[in-house]
Amino acid sequence: MSATIIRNGRVIDPANKRDEVGDVCIEDGKIVASKSGIRNPKSEIEEVDASGLIVAPGLIDMHVHLREPGFGHKETIDSGARAAAAGGFTTIVCMPNTSPAADNPSTITWIKECAARAACVNVLPTGAISKNISGEELAPIGSLAQAGVVAITDDGYCIQNHELMRRAVEYARMVDVPVLDHCQDYNLVGNGVVNEGYWSTLLGLPGWPAAGEEVIVMRNILLAELCDHHIHCQHMSTAGSVRLLREARRRGVKISGEVCPHHIALTDEAIQSFDTNYKMNPPLRAQVDVDALLEGIADGTLSILASDHAPHADFEKEVEFDTAPFGIIGLETELSLFLHLLVHKHRKIDIVRLIEMYTVEPAKLLKLDAGTLSVGASADVTLLDLDLEWTVRADEFQSASRNSPFDGRKLKGRAVRTIVGGKTVWRR
Ligand SMILES: [Zn+2]
């Protein structure tokens, strides 16, 4: 028997419309009613003083690259899970672009078994849409669903053949898993490495035009309508994408979009340093795009926050800008960046909506039994200090990689304790 009482925190549980100062009680890994409290008198009760803190359902990041199997030198399931815990996340959804790719049931089983053994947070795998993520032939979507994937995606790549994508969405509908898509038209984007615009021209770097994303967002809207099934557009970066999603969602199309912190924290102006930690896909955009993303978050067009945590080793990133791999790590800075930018600085949403975008929204999309402090739910809890000022120190990260453009940044607000299944897996 184990029990914990988290006392006197501001409990924010958007799933139950709860926002009040009170207690949260945990017994044997589950949330129990706070009024009746701990029932078993033999329980050894741990008391956590949460005065001045926010007590939220464990946060979910639905866009993480854990790099195992195949690229353990960048990140392992163990190190990625520890990074998640340190960032306030109790559940992470990992992308299938591993080696071998997660395009078959045995790789999914391997990931689940490895996570059960090594990960301190819940790790939920996605499966690939196409075999070997090559965009040519569909992966066995039904078997992947049976093996327990929470969604399918070719993230990092994008299926260019619209007919193949249509069949993928139809299969996904039959087995009731959502489709996530990395929106990139290969012909329009070509060898682009940074946003096509002023800075790409000035610096002479190949441009990645906004239309290269928007064309696929439009394709996905049309296919979501045609197939009557949900498509979620990953890491949205342009004003045009926000406009397309807003219009489609108003018409009731089953389409959604997510935002990553770097796309609102930075613009393509940052690439003049030629620091490869500013190279990601989709690229950093212009200020008008950042403004549109902020409006999209404020009006609910963009409903999910995620990191696109993409670890790379130093030797891989320390090369010329053109040849460096895309992507940055994000698990240990994303919550703070969003708290800092959305709640404190731009005041686009309040803390309740921010928690909802990290809990209720991804749980609803992926049909997860998570993201709530309901009685009987698994005791996944994140404690936040909204006003704690701190400085990002990349050398203190739990992640096995260091490729963050936010090293040294001063931020306000962060997670201070992460509890998974009633057990504290990280505390500051
Ligand atoms: Zn992607």
Side-chain angles (χ1 to χ4, degrees), residues 342-360:
L342 296 176
V343 179
H344 291 301
K345 187 175 171 198
H346 300 299
R347 298 173 185 245
K348 290 295 173 187
I349 50 173
D350 62 11
I351 179 65
V352 177
R353 176 60 183 160
L354 185 140
I355 291 169
E356 189 171 47
M357 291 175 79
Y358 265 132
T359 55
V360 176

Side-chain angles (χ1 to χ4, degrees), residues 62-230:
M62 63 171 284
H63 193 153
V64 172
H65 297 270
L66 289 179
R67 305 303 191 199
E68 266 192 320
F71 306 105
H73 68 284
K74 297 172 192 266
E75 193 81 281
T76 61
I77 289 175
D78 167 33
S79 65
R82 280 186 284 112
F89 295 87
T90 60
T91 297
I92 52 178
V93 175
C94 59
M95 296 296 113
N97 58 339
T98 48
S99 181
D103 62 356
N104 64 88
S106 30
T107 303
I108 299 301
T109 305
W110 186 89
I111 292 169
K112 287 171 74 172
E113 284 174 1
C114 180
R117 203 173 50 242
C120 63
V121 302
N122 307 304
V123 173
L124 306 175
T126 55
I129 300 176
S130 67
K131 279 190 186 156
N132 207 26
I133 317 195
S134 60
E136 283 162 15
E137 197 184 335
L138 290 185
I141 294 169
S143 318
L144 287 169
Q146 243 170 11
V149 302
V150 294
I152 54 168
T153 174
D154 268 6
D155 183 50
Y157 299 86
C158 178
I159 290 180
Q160 303 294 295
N161 178 331
H162 307 322
E163 198 275 332
L164 190 72
M165 185 66 171
R166 174 191 179 170
R167 281 193 281 128
V169 179
E170 285 173 346
Y171 276 117
R173 184 187 171 191
M174 277 195 279
V175 295
D176 199 22
V177 292
V179 179
L180 322 179
D181 197 26
H182 166 118
C183 303
Q184 177 177 352
D185 182 285
Y186 292 172
N187 289 308
L188 278 169
V189 172
N191 61 351
V193 290
V194 296
N195 182 43
E196 183 179 295
Y198 177 82
W199 287 104
S200 68
T201 310
L202 199 75
L203 302 172
L205 289 167
W208 195 135
E213 174 174 298
E214 292 150 9
V215 154
I216 300 294
V217 171
M218 190 67 239
R219 180 275 300 268
N220 289 344
I221 291 168
L222 296 171
L223 290 184
E225 272 186 291
L226 179 64
C227 308
D228 188 28
H229 188 60
H230 200 105

Side-chain angles (χ1 to χ4, degrees), residues 12 46 95 129 186 289 388 413:
I12 299 180
E46 181 192 13
M95 296 296 113
I129 300 176
Y186 292 172
D289 298 298
L388 183 73

Side-chain angles (χ1 to χ4, degrees), residues 238-284:
T238 79
S241 294
V242 178
R243 199 168 59 237
L244 289 165
L245 288 174
R246 181 178 289 125
E247 188 275 339
R249 283 166 69 87
R250 277 195 189 134
R251 286 190 295 112
V253 181
K254 294 175 179 167
I255 191 95
S256 54
E258 84 193 8
V259 191
C260 302
H262 43 275
H263 287 128
I264 62 163
L266 300 164
T267 66
D268 56 353
E269 197 179 347
I271 57 174
Q272 55 185 310
S273 65
F274 287 97
D275 181 342
T276 56
N277 284 331
Y278 295 111
K279 180 178 176 182
M280 59 284 283
N281 185 4
L284 299 174

Side-chain angles (χ1 to χ4, degrees), residues 152 185 269 328 390 399 425:
I152 54 168
D185 182 285
E269 197 179 347
I328 58 166
W390 67 292
S399 169
V425 293

